[in-house]
Amino acid sequence: MGTAGRGKAASVNIHSASLVADRLDVPTDRPAVRAAGVLALYALGFALTHGAASAWGGAGYYSLWFPAAGLRLALLWRMGAVWTLPLCAIELAVDFATGAVPMTGSDALIGWLGVVRPVLAYGGTVWLVRRLMPQDKTRGIAALAAPMPFAVASVAAPLIAALFTVPQAMLRGDLTGVVTAREIGLSIAAFTVGDVLGALLIAPPVLWVADRLSGRAHGPLPRPRPGPVAESIAALVLGAVAGETLGWLGLGSQSAPSLISVAWIGLRFGRVPAWFALLAVCAMLLPQTAGAMDTPARLQFHLGLASVVVAGYLAGSFHDAQRRARADLARRDRLLFQADRLKTLRAMSVAVIHEISQPLSTLAIEAKHLHELTVSADPETAATAALIDRKAAHLSDLVRRLRRYGGRAVDEPSALPLANLIESVGALAASEVQAAGARLAVTAPDPALAVMAQEVELAQAVVNLIRNAVQACGPDGEIALSANAEAGKAIILVTNRCAANAPAHAGMGVGTLVARAIVEAHGGRLTIVRDGADVRAVVTLPLIGAEA
Amino acid sequence: MSDAPVIYVVDDDRDLGASVARLLRRQGFAAEPFLDPAILLPVYADAPAHCIVTDVMMGDIDGFAFADRIRAVDPAAAIIFMTAWPTTANAVDSVRRYGGLDYLEKPIDEARLIAAVTEGVAWSIRRRAARDRTAKLTPRERQVLDLLAEGHPNKVVADRLGLSTKTVEDHRAAVLAKTGANGLAALIALARG
């Protein structure tokens, strides 16, 4: 393709970038401004959550429940570990502004380090988990499938951040009031508990909201089903009653029953119900531990709570990961089956074309001869002979065209210009559409647009959609076939408008299922949109560069 | 019609072979269908054709093997292949390795078939005439003709063959006389024909 084609592809990319910015509800498409917006939001959130956490503070640690950790983890997980240093700057700035850390003084530097340290630990953990658990390459293994890596990061980051505090506590423990080994241990435990609670309670909903806003997650909101809700509530109540009973028996505050309850909920129903169960447990317990309570008792309480939260969230994540792994396997099975069937179909069609072309050769030659012989015969005979000749010639043409498909190295996907695809599909479907009494309008797309595809299969998919449209409408249907590019994706559109008196055929036959399987095997999507009398089948495929 | 160009149509589909032969007869060729190359080969030397239209995929002898065996008997027959399983590799082979004039895909495009056969007949007639005229040459005269056709002057030809210039001139005169060619250009055409 020439330079004109390249220029076009570039402009498409710019367009798609601005589209993503629009979806993020950031009022501009410049990445720098968008980044500044995200950082400003983070600063605000950090200041608010930081302040809110102070109610659970104590000697030698900041808080036993630290929601800012959740914000930090969510941002690093979603945007990547490269945001570590900007976050360090933001947290320092907020701490300066609120006076949590002195800007100057003899030990100011150590104070600054204390602020930056956990951020570095979080960034490092996110980077490490992302590296060690590549999310796409190890599909099918539940322990590594999403959302397990995030769950692991949420537990590992607080632990690593806590370990990072050890050197300072050993050397300059006097700064934070921890001197003895016991105090250091208590401080680390408290730090871990606070961050674990914050990370696991805050990061998941923040990520969920971000995915929704950015369009990464779509579809209808999940509705709670009565069965699981009832079962979860029963498990929670049972756990709470058992815990209270143990306390009444004089065994102290016991978290084990609650832990079993949330693990049960997580394993049975997944992350979201588990998270709500954790929220319920925390909502019951956190207010009791705010304010006046002596540190060891509160720490013990929160340690129990942290183990409940970790167990519940890991269990829920495991359930989701397993479900995702199973769905992936099922999808691959379906694709394999489909590919196998297509291969058989293709072999069969090549054989059929050969068997047809042999007698058709004879038929076409003789029909033409008959036509020539009967030109001056009576009009009835002449018309019949002319018709036979024309049909035989048309059929010969069709067979030759079909054969050109089968002859290629069809198993290898290749760069396929949409214009070629639309043209051959139009030619293939024309006679069928005409025979049904419908009309087909084909709009040729920009010749620079191309997709990576197995031509025969993709053509089959689009022909199926047209066939479906014909069947849905019956005679007098108006079908339109076109293709274009939208936001970096190739769109193939089959639209049909039925006449007012058309019979109502429900059109989701085997053909559509095959088409959907083919499109999905090409990394695309097929959606059927009904809009009054219009039905649109929309095939979305990854677009490849014009020069490919 | 006795001196109409002879065309043999070989296809293991009896109806198609007959149909193509009848089509060619209507165009003024003396076309005969054959069901199997094995029937045609033993009798071919007695009745050579100008042009052979053959299927590629056949029973024991396929179209390419058949073409090789025809070439051995008669280098002056034009061969046209037709097939229901066209591949690019076969299309190239049929022309480059087997000296085919065309490679037709079934269902047959009639106009292209007739054009190819007409061209094949003309080529075959030219080639036969050239061979007839050079048939009477002695081996030495043939050597002289080949070297002259490559563009060498008499002196070079004489050096190459170890003859005197005078002898080469004599041979050249004999070649011109026997073939009826009237100059160097005609000689070159002959040597290549």
Side-chain angles (χ1 to χ4, degrees):
Chain A
M1 296 285 159
T3 42
R6 260 187 280 270
K8 181 161 190 66
S11 75
V12 166
N13 288 342
I14 290 165
H15 176 65
S16 69
S18 73
L19 209 95
V20 170
D22 287 350
R23 288 219 200 107
L24 276 175
D25 287 332
V26 179
T28 175
D29 55 2
R30 274 187 297 150
V33 180
R34 180 167 150 267
V38 169
L39 286 177
L41 263 178
Y42 180 74
L44 184 69
F46 182 79
L48 289 176
T49 50
H50 198 266
S54 59
W56 288 272
Y61 60 89
Y62 181 67
S63 175
L64 277 173
W65 138 247
F66 192 61
L71 279 185
R72 188 195 292 147
L73 181 71
L75 197 143
L76 287 171
W77 185 260
R78 185 69 160 74
M79 313 290 282
V82 290
W83 283 61
T84 306
L85 291 181
L87 287 201
C88 287
I90 292 289
E91 292 200 12
L92 264 181
V94 171
D95 282 344
F96 287 155
T98 56
V101 171
M103 279 179 83
T104 53
S106 57
D107 291 321
L109 199 64
I110 293 177
W112 296 6
L113 256 180
V115 172
V116 169
R117 209 171 39 217
V119 187
L120 293 178
Y122 275 55
T125 308
V126 165
W127 179 81
L128 205 66
V129 169
R130 287 255 190 226
R131 248 185 97 84
L132 294 181
M133 298 189 175
Q135 285 182 303
D136 291 328
K137 290 178 189 152
T138 50
R139 282 194 304 180
I141 305 168
L144 297 178
M148 279 310 276
F150 173 71
V152 170
S154 321
V155 178
L159 284 172
I160 293 175
L163 288 178
F164 272 26
T165 63
V166 174
Q168 190 202 320
M170 305 279 264
L171 297 173
R172 294 298 309 273
D174 56 303
L175 280 180
T176 41
V178 287
V179 182
T180 65
R182 183 172 173 276
E183 280 171 338
I184 293 175
L186 274 180
S187 157
I188 289 174
F191 185 99
T192 313
V193 164
D195 271 26
V196 162
L197 287 179
L200 285 176
L201 287 178
I202 299 300
V206 169
L207 280 177
W208 186 82
V209 169
D211 281 350
R212 281 274 157 189
L213 286 181
S214 66
R216 196 187 265 210
H218 42 76
L221 292 178
R223 275 169 185 280
R225 282 167 297 137
V229 169
E231 187 179 325
S232 301
I233 290 175
L236 279 178
V237 168
L238 210 63
V241 168
E244 289 299 314
T245 311
L246 289 176
W248 178 71
L249 289 174
L251 294 173
S253 160
Q254 284 289 339
S255 59
S258 288
L259 190 144
I260 294 171
S261 299
V262 295
W264 173 267
I265 295 168
L267 284 175
R268 285 271 291 154
F269 307 119
R271 243 175 340 153
V272 176
W275 184 83
F276 276 106
L278 299 178
L279 194 67
V281 171
C282 290
M284 281 190 289
L285 295 185
L286 279 182
Q288 297 179 26
T289 62
M293 192 178 197
D294 70 324
T295 299
R298 181 193 279 162
L299 183 53
Q300 194 190 354
F301 219 84
H302 277 232
L303 269 173
L305 194 57
S307 30
V308 170
V309 168
V310 168
Y313 198 73
L314 280 180
S317 296
F318 187 76
H319 171 97
D320 286 1
Q322 210 170 26
R323 196 167 52 189
R324 185 179 290 216
R326 266 203 303 269
D328 275 346
L329 277 180
R331 187 173 148 272
R332 268 193 288 182
D333 278 354
R334 273 202 314 278
L335 289 181
L336 273 180
F337 174 71
Q338 193 63 47
D340 205 44
R341 218 167 57 158
L342 282 172
K343 211 174 259 178
T344 315
L345 260 176
R346 201 155 53 213
M348 263 172 57
S349 65
V350 168
V352 166
I353 286 170
H354 171 247
E355 291 306 319
I356 288 176
S357 72
Q358 202 67 21
L360 189 58
S361 277
T362 312
L363 187 65
I365 292 172
E366 298 302 330
K368 180 147 187 280
H369 182 45
L370 186 66
H371 182 195
E372 285 160 3
L373 284 181
T374 54
V375 170
S376 48
D378 66 291
E380 188 76 358
T381 310
T384 303
L387 190 65
I388 292 172
D389 181 24
R390 193 149 51 87
K391 289 292 164 191
H394 178 77
L395 209 53
S396 303
D397 190 45
L398 187 71
V399 165
R400 276 195 290 261
R401 192 190 284 276
L402 278 173
R403 179 164 326 100
R404 271 197 279 283
Y405 277 120
R408 277 186 215 153
V410 282
D411 282 334
E412 285 298 310
S414 54
L416 169 66
L418 281 181
N420 290 14
L421 177 76
I422 297 298
E423 191 214 336
S424 38
V425 167
L428 279 171
S431 59
E432 200 168 323
V433 172
Q434 206 178 7
R439 278 187 303 280
L440 175 64
V442 179
T443 315
D446 182 338
L449 301 178
V451 291
M452 206 63 177
Q454 297 183 345
E455 183 175 7
V456 188
E457 291 180 4
L458 202 54
Q460 174 70 60
V462 183
V463 166
N464 280 3
L465 295 177
I466 294 178
R467 193 170 288 160
N468 204 53
V470 170
Q471 281 168 359
C473 274
D476 296 328
E478 282 182 35
I479 297 150
L481 171 65
S482 63
N484 57 2
E486 215 168 83
K489 296 276 185 188
I491 311 272
I492 302 168
L493 200 61
V494 176
T495 321
N496 65 339
R497 169 168 296 171
C498 302
N501 57 352
H505 293 289
M508 265 300 270
V510 180
T512 314
L513 295 179
V514 171
R516 170 160 291 150
I518 294 174
V519 169
E520 285 175 0
H522 280 87
R525 252 185 350 166
L526 168 65
T527 40
I528 310 274
V529 186
R530 279 163 221 280
D531 178 16
D534 288 352
V535 180
R536 276 176 302 161
V538 187
V539 175
T540 315
L541 288 166
L543 196 61
I544 55 175
E547 57 266 71
Chain B
M1 290 287 281
S2 61
D3 49 355
V6 177
I7 317 289
Y8 292 151
V9 180
V10 186
D11 196 309
D12 56 359
D13 180 328
R14 185 190 299 275
D15 291 340
L16 180 58
S19 196
V20 171
R22 294 207 296 129
L23 164 71
L24 292 174
R25 277 205 288 276
R26 289 199 291 276
Q27 303 295 322
F29 300 106
E32 275 306 320
F34 286 86
L35 201 57
D36 191 332
I39 306 170
L40 176 59
L41 279 167
V43 298
Y44 183 82
D46 298 332
H50 290 95
C51 182
I52 296 171
V53 180
T54 178
D55 193 16
V56 174
M57 302 268 274
M58 290 183 292
D60 292 335
I61 310 172
D62 75 0
F64 293 145
F66 172 57
D68 275 345
R69 292 171 66 171
I70 288 288
R71 280 267 171 273
V73 187
D74 177 12
I79 298 176
I80 294 166
F81 295 101
M82 49 184 186
T83 182
W85 296 91
T87 66
T88 315
N90 272 356
V92 172
D93 275 2
S94 70
V95 174
R96 301 192 71 168
R97 282 190 55 196
Y98 303 104
L101 196 68
D102 204 350
Y103 181 79
L104 302 172
E105 161 181 348
K106 290 176 184 175
I108 303 291
D109 182 331
E110 257 183 56
R112 188 165 158 185
L113 172 69
I114 291 163
V117 168
T118 309
E119 189 191 337
V121 165
W123 175 83
S124 176
I125 290 173
R126 273 204 315 277
R127 176 131 187 167
R128 286 246 158 82
R131 293 184 65 80
D132 286 348
R133 284 152 75 186
T134 53
K136 289 176 288 221
L137 301 182
T138 65
R140 185 58 99 188
E141 286 164 357
R142 177 79 220 189
Q143 281 177 324
V144 171
L145 168 61
D146 287 342
L147 286 173
L148 287 173
E150 283 172 23
H152 301 299
N154 288 353
K155 195 167 159 35
V156 175
V157 175
D159 284 352
R160 289 263 184 106
L161 297 176
L163 302 171
S164 70
T165 318
K166 177 74 175 73
T167 316
V168 170
E169 279 170 9
D170 288 347
H171 282 310
R172 180 174 177 162
V175 169
L176 289 175
K178 283 183 181 174
T179 60
N182 55 0
L184 190 60
L187 275 185
I188 292 171
L190 262 185
R192 288 185 180 166

